Amino acid sequence: MLPNFDYVAPASVQDAVKQLSSGEARVHGGGTDLLSCLHDEVFTATKVVSLSRISALKGIKAAGGGVRIGAMTPIADVAQDSTIRSKYPGLAQAASVVASPQLRNQGTIGGNICQRPWCWYFRGGFYCVRKGGPQCYAENGDNRYHAIFTKEGLCYIVHPSDTAPALMALQAQLSITGPGGTRTVPIENFFVGPGTDPTKETILKQGEVVTEIVLPAPAPGMRSSYRKIRERRSWDFALAGVALALQIKDGKVAGGRVVLSGVAPIPWRSKEVESAIIGKALGAGRIAEAAESSRRRHRRTERLDVGDGTIAQAAAAAVQGAEPLKHNAYKVALVRGMVEEALQAIA
Ligand SMILES: Cc1cc2nc3c(=O)[nH]c(=O)nc-3n(C[C@H](O)[C@H](O)[C@H](O)COP(=O)(O)OP(=O)(O)OC[C@H]3O[C@@H](n4cnc5c(N)ncnc54)[C@H](O)[C@@H]3O)c2cc1C
């Protein structure tokens, strides 16, 4: 049963911030995660502040070559928007594989990046380190879905969002409004690892609300994608995922970002993969060459070695530093294969 709480739905961000600044108040986006947490007593609230009446927080608008996405925009709208699909296909792909159609219609993009972890110890009745308790029960428990990048220790959740890694790869900025005014933060600096504070996933302070996500204009030659592997083909969280946003120039990777999901307590930027591919061809030569392969088979083989060598090295780099737990070593091979497939597809 849901506990009792006051429910308010202010009509402006300023009023929402005022309402959130006192007592144990919580932001309600679409409520798909918040209400489960309250129902299951993961945490408590004396007041729930819905952002649903603030029309300024809804919609996707063009802005200086990029786009601004209101935090209350449904995930389904992000998946279907024609500008997002053409300019930022990686984000559209990520949004389209979040949960189920019902959850994508009710859940918001702001709520998706701020959702709490779905670790079964945290969501269950365990007083774990993320709730301020003495230990992480996943460390020596059933950790089959937990992190493999664990250097910070303490807590082994995986960050659950599919859109956050795509937004990080695309170098999104977040607008955050709170009692102290509005600040803009690169999404890369938004998430908090357990080494900093195991009870928080983001830098948000009491009373702060994410109001907008700002995507810069895509750099020339930018290609983006999101690939997700889940245990079953219907809705499910990522066992592992990879967001790519790569700038391809003259057949080579000129720059970009690679961010993994489902493997670490925060969306995991893989600088190791980025270093393995930047400045190199990703098999573009292979595709061009395939057409004339029957004529000049030896040259095709030579070019294949170049492209596939880079991709194989990048896939190996993706799992550098991974320290799987007792039950999730399978994720190492999974990440390796997934990064290889994603790079091949983008090439
Ligand atoms: C069965 C199931 C399967 C799922 N599968 C996936 C999946 O495959 N991939 C995936 O990415 N997600 C998945 N999810 C999570 C789902 O996508 C989230 O529940 C949803 O995105 C949350 O959005 P919301 O607007 O409903 O957030 P809410 O439930 O309203 O809020 C979530 C949290 O964020 C905070 N919050 C919300 N909006 C803001 C804001 N603007 N500023 C500051 N804080 C805010 C709330 O206080 C709360 O703590 C799944 C959920 C379920 C129940």
Side-chain angles (χ1 to χ4, degrees):
M1 215 171 70
L2 269 178
N4 285 330
F5 49 76
D6 291 332
Y7 177 85
V8 289
S12 71
V13 173
Q14 283 65 32
D15 283 349
V17 167
K18 239 183 251 163
Q19 291 284 357
L20 285 163
S21 300
S22 60
E24 202 183 4
R26 307 267 178 191
V27 180
H28 180 294
T32 59
D33 168 35
L34 177 77
L35 297 178
S36 326
C37 287
L38 293 176
H39 178 273
D40 297 341
E41 299 175 358
V42 177
F43 52 72
T44 53
T46 53
K47 194 197 288 177
V48 166
V49 181
S50 169
L51 307 180
S52 60
R53 283 184 60 221
I54 311 176
S55 48
L57 297 185
K58 291 177 197 156
I60 300 168
K61 296 180 198 96
V67 292
R68 308 180 82 91
I69 308 173
M72 284 298 286
T73 307
I75 299 162
D77 290 9
V78 176
Q80 286 154 17
D81 182 81
S82 56
T83 308
I84 303 280
R85 285 166 75 111
S86 63
K87 288 172 102 170
Y88 312 98
L91 176 59
Q93 287 161 20
S96 71
V97 294
V98 168
S100 62
Q102 291 90 334
L103 286 160
R104 290 196 291 276
N105 279 309
Q106 178 64 25
T108 63
I109 185 87
N112 190 253
I113 62 173
C114 296
Q115 62 178 300
R116 304 301 312 271
W118 292 79
C119 165
W120 41 35
Y121 295 106
F122 174 68
R123 295 266 166 168
F126 292 81
Y127 185 52
C128 68
V129 71
R130 193 151 289 273
K131 292 182 185 143
Q135 71 180 96
C136 169
Y137 294 92
E139 185 174 13
N140 298 307
D142 188 340
N143 46 41
R144 74 187 95 157
Y145 299 126
H146 289 76
I148 57 169
F149 291 102
T150 55
K151 74 173 169 23
E152 292 186 50
L154 301 172
C155 167
Y156 298 91
I157 60 155
V158 291
H159 196 273
S161 168
D162 286 309
T163 62
L167 290 167
M168 200 191 276
L170 291 162
Q171 301 185 45
Q173 305 258 340
L174 303 181
S175 286
I176 297 170
T177 301
T182 296
R183 55 184 175 142
T184 303
V185 175
I187 194 167
E188 197 166 342
N189 301 340
F190 180 66
F191 300 103
V192 169
T196 308
D197 184 347
T199 66
K200 291 180 75 172
E201 293 87 48
T202 71
I203 59 166
L204 288 177
K205 299 187 195 125
Q206 178 71 33
E208 284 192 321
V209 173
V210 176
T211 56
E212 221 174 28
I213 295 161
V214 183
L215 283 168
M222 181 66 79
R223 294 184 199 170
S224 65
S225 69
Y226 182 69
R227 195 173 195 86
K228 167 180 178 178
I229 298 178
R230 46 196 149 177
E231 201 163 30
R232 49 189 184 173
R233 278 177 185 241
S234 62
W235 51 265
D236 211 346
F237 290 96
L239 293 174
V242 58
L244 302 176
L246 303 179
Q247 198 185 345
I248 309 289
K249 199 173 167 210
D250 301 329
K252 291 188 175 165
V253 181
R257 298 238 169 130
V258 177
V259 184
L260 304 176
S261 61
V263 292
I266 56 173
W268 192 252
R269 182 170 171 199
S270 179
K271 291 192 179 162
E272 292 79 7
V273 175
E274 291 169 16
S275 326
I277 58 177
I278 288 174
K280 306 210 179 120
L282 274 186
R286 176 184 62 154
I287 290 162
E289 202 67 23
E292 54 173 327
S293 61
S294 57
R295 233 170 7 102
R296 306 172 72 172
R297 191 166 293 277
H298 66 286
R299 269 194 66 199
R300 179 186 176 224
T301 308
E302 187 188 1
R303 296 249 184 127
L304 262 176
D305 284 347
V306 174
D308 287 356
T310 302
I311 288 175
Q313 280 164 23
V319 292
Q320 218 172 289
E323 289 179 314
L325 302 164
K326 188 170 176 197
H327 301 290
N328 68 3
Y330 72 93
K331 283 198 181 189
V332 175
L334 201 64
V335 168
R336 206 172 162 150
M338 177 190 68
V339 167
E340 190 168 340
E341 280 179 6
L343 288 171
Q344 273 167 358
I346 214 149

